[in-house]
Amino acid sequence: MFLPIIHLTRLVGIARTLARHDALWPLEMVSRRAAPLRACVWCLRILFRRRRPGRPGERLAVALADLGPSFVKLGQALSVRADLVGDEVARDLEQLQDGLDPFPTDKAVETIEATLAMPLAEAFAEFDRNPVAAASIAQVHFATTADGREVAVKVLRPGIEDRLERDIGLFRFLARLAERAHPPVRRLRPVAVVDTFEEWIRVELDLRLEGAAAAELKEYCEGDEGFHVVDVDWERTGQRVLTTERIRGHNIDDVEALRAAGHDIEDILARSARIFFLQVFRDGYFHADMHPGNMFIDAEGRLCPVDFGIMGRVTRRQRLFMADTLVGFLGRDYRRVADAHFEIGYVPPTQSRELFTQALRAIGEPVLDKSLNEISVGRLLEQMFRTTERFDMPTQPDLLLLQKTMLVAEGVGRKLNPDVNMWLLARPLIEEWMIANRGPEARIVETVRDTMESLERLPRTLRKAEETLDRLAKAGMNPDGSLREPGGMRENVRFWGPVVVLAVLGAMTIGLFNN
């Protein structure tokens, strides 16, 4: 009963902060359909608004940073949703970094000792009390272990869990309120935005999960030349502390420093494109926060990612869809792109395939008419996702995260060499993957795999069916609810069970050879 009142009270404070930063425009947009809310926004403008320079998205980013860690993370999540906030605002929110003032080192030491259940001096021979990075969730210190290994120690902010829990509750309340107040908003799935946001936060609040994400990525990429994922020091890792190998190197976008260190910029760009392709298409598991501050080039010239709090996953079906979409757009085969959308179910079958193909052409031609180095696949996908309202397409949060990651990768690629398009470097790899996964041999393998999985489930399914029929027989009932003579049901099960098994096996065999 009191929770909505608490949320509404907090909203007043948030609205005042937005007004001070001249960033009330999101509330103005929402209030257009509600006269009482319009009146409230008008009052806020009169009482608290201060004129600030900059674009609306820039002012909103500053306001979110002032509101604290949860709102910084929310802004980062909204930067993926150009369909919600618009292209320009999404680009401004992309610049929203979660660098904040560090918290006292004594608090960090307390957290380390409590989490690891040992004194700091026992855990580390040397510990730098000056943090090297302070973000919204945690801060990082460099240290050295007793055996001489240089490590980076990530420590959660004190009390961050309670604060984020409270703010997530507020965000979910607002998302549900928006869906109830204006049903067309449901297609944009604001509650799903909050769910995605909460998923990110849950991982970042348990640093063991971040360590596990790093270990999983390392396992996938172990044999990839020129790519190195940090080792996790599990002995010095817990829920609130993560200790990993320290990386010494240069940020991937520091071109001058990279050249001065003797690195081949063209080779770095080519490997970046290849690694991104492998993570997305081969593994279906990718680093989804790959901004320049999270990617280093070490002395050996290896790409070394850090910060594994936000990782993305794409299913095999989604990978095939993305490959069809990329190859289709780059080859101006818009029908292929449209077919991919209908096959995976992203566009309802009630929509016109011809009109959707025409809409894709209208998106692709202006972009693809540019010189190759100016083509932005990320922006192309962004424009494509913005056609969702016209064709009644539900938003796909997983693909939006991938699209966001592609935009960041593109930006880094252009900084390394503005004359080279990294997607054209990756296109042969994508086409090769498509042949391996779309060809006749791949379909046979997939059919065999599906058949074997079905066979593995069959005994369990039949056993459950027999148990259900047995219970009905004991109750003296037929499956349709009518009464029957006791004992007959069990005899039917014994007779029809083998028949059903043979029929299913026969159908699978026919399907296998037809493929």
Side-chain angles (χ1 to χ4, degrees):
M1 176 178 177
F2 295 105
L3 198 56
I5 298 175
I6 294 172
H7 288 326
L8 291 172
T9 303
R10 289 199 62 214
L11 279 176
V12 174
I14 292 168
R16 290 182 59 180
T17 301
L18 292 175
R20 286 201 307 272
H21 291 282
D22 196 8
L24 273 173
W25 59 267
L27 293 183
E28 292 171 349
M29 292 174 61
V30 173
S31 67
R32 288 172 185 168
R33 295 179 177 271
L37 188 54
R38 282 202 306 274
C40 291
V41 173
W42 182 81
C43 290
L44 287 166
R45 289 175 63 87
I46 296 298
L47 294 173
F48 302 109
R49 186 186 178 194
R50 302 290 182 270
R51 291 283 183 179
R52 303 291 185 185
R55 295 185 299 273
E58 291 176 325
R59 300 196 302 271
L60 179 60
V62 174
L64 292 175
D66 192 24
L67 285 166
S70 305
F71 292 86
V72 170
K73 289 296 180 185
L74 179 64
Q76 292 172 342
L78 287 175
S79 72
V80 180
R81 297 299 303 273
D83 56 325
L84 277 177
V85 298
D87 294 341
E88 185 176 77
V89 173
R91 283 193 289 271
D92 288 333
L93 292 178
E94 286 173 11
Q95 309 307 314
L96 189 63
Q97 299 299 315
D98 54 0
L100 297 175
D101 293 333
F103 59 89
T105 300
D106 289 342
K107 293 290 185 183
V109 172
E110 286 178 15
T111 299
I112 293 170
E113 293 183 334
T115 301
L116 303 184
M118 64 176 76
L120 183 72
E122 184 179 332
F124 305 104
E126 297 178 14
F127 184 82
D128 190 344
R129 298 186 64 86
N130 296 315
V132 294
S136 56
I137 302 293
Q139 69 185 31
V140 178
H141 294 260
F142 287 147
T144 305
T145 62
D147 56 1
R149 288 181 293 110
E150 293 184 329
V151 293
V153 186
K154 187 173 185 177
V155 188
L156 289 184
R157 285 183 174 272
I160 190 66
E161 295 94 338
D162 292 338
R163 183 170 183 176
L164 288 171
E165 191 77 34
R166 181 187 61 189
D167 289 339
I168 289 170
L170 172 63
F171 299 153
R172 181 166 283 107
F173 167 76
L174 293 175
R176 288 173 177 165
L177 187 64
E179 289 192 354
R180 285 197 299 267
H182 189 48
V185 169
R186 293 173 188 166
R187 183 191 59 80
L188 299 174
R189 301 171 69 184
V191 173
V193 175
V194 178
D195 289 341
T196 301
F197 171 74
E198 183 177 15
E199 200 173 290
W200 295 355
I201 293 300
R202 294 298 177 205
V203 174
E204 293 193 77
L205 289 180
D206 188 340
L207 295 181
R208 294 169 299 185
L209 296 178
E210 183 176 336
E216 183 176 358
L217 185 65
K218 186 178 185 67
E219 183 178 315
Y220 283 132
C221 302
E222 191 65 49
D224 296 336
E225 185 178 354
F227 187 71
H228 175 69
V229 179
V230 295
D231 291 317
V232 177
D233 184 342
W234 289 106
E235 184 181 351
R236 296 170 178 82
T237 292
Q239 182 178 347
R240 298 180 56 80
V241 176
L242 171 65
T243 303
T244 63
E245 166 191 3
R246 176 181 175 180
I247 295 295
R248 289 185 178 272
H250 302 285
N251 289 99
I252 192 170
D253 64 339
D254 192 347
V255 178
E256 290 185 6
L258 292 174
R259 291 191 189 280
H263 296 300
D264 185 336
I265 303 299
E266 306 301 323
D267 180 60
I268 290 174
L269 179 56
R271 276 189 290 116
S272 297
R274 182 173 182 276
I275 290 299
F276 186 85
F277 158 79
L278 291 174
Q279 287 186 27
V280 174
F281 290 98
R282 182 192 65 188
D283 306 326
Y285 187 64
F286 61 95
H287 194 302
D289 195 18
M290 198 86 78
H291 62 75
N294 282 343
M295 179 66 79
F296 295 87
I297 307 297
D298 68 5
E300 300 176 35
R302 299 178 300 179
L303 280 73
C304 303
V306 297
D307 194 349
F308 306 90
I310 303 177
M311 305 295 290
R313 293 186 189 274
V314 281
T315 65
R316 187 173 183 279
R317 285 190 70 213
Q318 289 174 325
R319 284 177 261 169
L320 289 168
F321 162 76
M322 287 300 300
D324 280 329
T325 299
L326 288 173
V327 173
F329 263 127
L330 292 175
R332 298 191 173 189
D333 187 350
Y334 302 110
R335 181 69 183 202
R336 179 178 185 174
V337 180
D339 288 342
H341 280 74
F342 277 89
E343 286 174 10
I344 200 170
Y346 289 164
V347 181
T350 54
Q351 297 294 320
S352 167
R353 196 172 297 230
E354 287 69 25
L355 283 178
F356 187 64
T357 303
Q358 185 178 359
L360 293 173
R361 185 182 296 275
I363 293 169
E365 289 300 317
V367 175
L368 296 171
D369 272 341
K370 297 180 179 180
S371 59
L372 293 179
N373 63 301
E374 293 179 338
I375 293 175
S376 169
V377 172
R379 295 296 176 201
L380 194 67
L381 294 177
E382 182 179 82
Q383 290 296 319
M384 183 186 71
F385 291 144
R386 296 201 64 193
T387 66
T388 57
E389 183 174 6
R390 180 178 175 186
F391 292 94
D392 197 26
M393 297 164 56
T395 301
Q396 304 297 325
D398 291 339
L399 293 183
L400 289 170
L401 182 60
L402 175 58
Q403 177 253 331
K404 158 76 171 176
T405 307
M406 292 174 71
L407 280 172
V408 174
E410 272 188 350
V412 173
R414 292 190 193 286
K415 196 155 188 180
L416 290 173
N417 189 338
D419 298 323
V420 176
N421 188 310
M422 67 178 295
W423 304 120
L424 294 178
L425 294 176
R427 183 176 176 178
L429 298 172
I430 296 172
E431 290 175 338
E432 182 181 336
W433 184 85
M434 287 289 288
I435 292 171
N437 287 273
R438 281 286 199 203
E441 293 181 2
R443 293 189 179 184
I444 290 175
V445 170
E446 184 175 1
T447 303
V448 170
R449 183 174 61 244
D450 291 344
T451 301
M452 294 305 296
E453 289 176 356
S454 299
L455 287 173
E456 288 176 1
R457 292 194 301 268
L458 186 59
R460 186 167 60 253
T461 303
L462 288 174
R463 186 166 57 253
K464 287 183 178 179
E466 185 173 349
E467 289 172 357
T468 301
L469 292 173
D470 200 25
R471 284 196 298 271
L472 290 172
K474 289 178 180 178
M477 298 179 64
N478 284 318
D480 62 1
S482 61
L483 294 174
R484 62 165 295 126
E485 294 180 6
M489 185 76 70
R490 191 184 302 273
E491 294 172 3
N492 279 344
V493 170
R494 290 190 184 125
F495 173 76
W496 286 107
V499 175
V500 171
V501 173
L502 290 174
V504 172
L505 289 175
M508 290 178 176
T509 304
I510 292 171
L512 175 60
F513 283 106
N514 282 341
N515 279 279

